[in-house]
Amino acid sequence: MTEFLSSVPGAVLVAILSWWLGTGAILWLVRLPARLFKRSMAALTFLALLSTISTAWSMRHATMAASYVGFVSVIVMWGWHEMAFLSGWITGPRRIAQESSAHGVRRFYLAVQALLHHEIGLLLNMGFLMLLQWGNVNHVALCTFALLWCMRVSSKLNLFFGVPHVGDQYLPAHLAYMGSYFRRSAVTACFYLTISLSAGTWVWLVLEAQRNTVTITTGWVLLASLLGLAIVEHLLMVFALPLQRLWGWAMRQRGELPSPLPTTLPTTRPSQPDSL
């Protein structure tokens, strides 16, 4: 097993499984009955605290095992943020649909307001990891979080400026209003720019490996694989693939697939907003 994990296929497989299982677990948890939300978040918070300890340990050791521990620990950490967002717990101060008349800077400002608290949480987590990294030798955990954050920002920008497939039909019902901040359109310059930068970076990494100008470590393979998966996720905004094909087991709840979201959403705050 150690020999397999130290190989390139082993690291690629771990990256793919971490991405697939991590995403599926969040999709499954967020579709559980609302009364179970506190239990789900409590369990994830406990795991996130453990991942903080394991991340700190991984940063102090330049070994294959430490690279795997740091990578998986950050996936758990990231999963906590995703669950907090998709559950509607940590989103932003604006929890209503986009103004139909909003354009340009106004539309961007309102979109930021819908996500602000979530973005601040991610940046605080990044800053915390940077403090943990200070003086330590293994950068896999920090680089994993930074890569996830960069590609997440790229996805949000593309959803804002416009892509053919925004995936709003997969939003939980309590986040239906988020779909109004997405723009369904032909491929824009933003997509061409972000996909060129990310794909160009991935190709450069592969070429550097072929030229033997970098040392192919477990951490390097994990990060390169994760970048490749993030690029695939970006391509799904253009070439649609129903999520049931990848995460059918997670998308079903009581034998039913998620229903289409309502087409008309409130653009003003209710007098007494619902809470989870």
Side-chain angles (χ1 to χ4, degrees):
M1 179 60 73
T2 301
E3 183 177 350
F4 175 71
L5 290 176
S6 63
S7 66
V8 171
V12 170
L13 180 61
V14 169
I16 293 173
L17 287 177
S18 299
W19 168 78
W20 182 70
L21 289 173
T23 302
I26 299 304
L27 289 172
W28 181 77
L29 286 173
V30 81
R31 283 173 171 77
L32 290 175
R35 67 179 184 276
L36 299 178
F37 164 67
K38 290 183 179 180
R39 296 181 186 178
S40 299
M41 281 306 300
L44 276 176
T45 300
F46 175 72
L47 290 176
L49 291 174
L50 288 181
S51 72
T52 301
I53 297 172
S54 57
T55 296
W57 174 86
S58 74
M59 289 177 171
R60 296 194 296 267
H61 304 277
T63 64
M64 177 192 72
S67 295
Y68 278 118
V69 169
F71 181 82
V72 174
S73 296
V74 166
I75 296 296
V76 172
M77 234 180 254
W78 191 266
W80 185 93
H81 287 281
E82 289 294 290
M83 180 63 182
F85 174 76
L86 290 174
S87 65
W89 184 40
I90 302 178
T91 54
R94 183 177 175 84
R95 293 172 177 255
I96 54 178
Q98 176 68 280
E99 295 176 0
S100 57
S101 60
H103 297 285
V105 175
R106 173 68 178 173
R107 178 172 172 260
F108 184 80
Y109 169 78
L110 294 178
V112 171
Q113 289 297 300
L115 300 168
L116 184 60
H117 297 159
H118 177 62
E119 294 303 316
I120 290 174
L122 291 173
L123 289 175
L124 288 175
N125 200 154
M126 178 95 77
F128 176 69
L129 289 177
M130 292 175 71
L131 288 176
L132 285 181
Q133 185 67 67
W134 192 268
N136 289 316
V137 294
N138 193 327
H139 295 77
V140 171
L142 178 60
C143 290
T144 299
F145 196 95
L147 175 58
L148 288 169
W149 181 80
C150 287
M151 297 307 287
R152 178 64 182 267
V153 169
S154 173
S155 296
K156 289 175 180 175
L157 288 174
N158 279 297
L159 290 172
F160 175 81
F161 286 109
V163 285
H165 304 286
V166 298
D168 54 347
Q169 69 271 31
Y170 298 113
L171 287 170
H174 53 268
L175 285 185
Y177 69 91
M178 279 289 179
S180 67
Y181 294 91
F182 305 160
R183 173 174 285 169
R184 185 177 282 103
S185 71
V187 177
T188 65
C190 178
F191 182 84
Y192 287 118
L193 175 62
T194 54
I195 199 68
S196 297
L197 288 174
S198 53
T201 300
W202 188 83
V203 170
W204 174 75
L205 289 173
V206 173
L207 290 177
E208 289 294 289
Q210 291 181 339
R211 295 167 183 162
N212 295 320
T213 56
V214 296
T215 303
I216 308 301
T217 63
T218 298
W220 186 95
V221 177
L222 288 170
L223 292 168
S225 301
L226 186 61
L227 176 57
L229 292 168
I231 293 170
V232 170
E233 288 186 346
H234 274 57
L235 291 176
L236 293 181
M237 298 180 189
V238 178
F239 307 101
L241 174 67
L243 293 186
Q244 287 89 344
R245 295 189 181 181
L246 290 174
W247 295 286
W249 57 275
M251 300 293 290
R252 295 179 181 273
Q253 198 54 246
R254 294 186 296 274
E256 298 180 357
L257 290 171
S259 303
L261 296 178
T263 55
T264 303
L265 297 168
T267 56
T268 57
R269 290 184 182 274
S271 56
Q272 292 184 354
D274 295 334
S275 59
L276 291 174

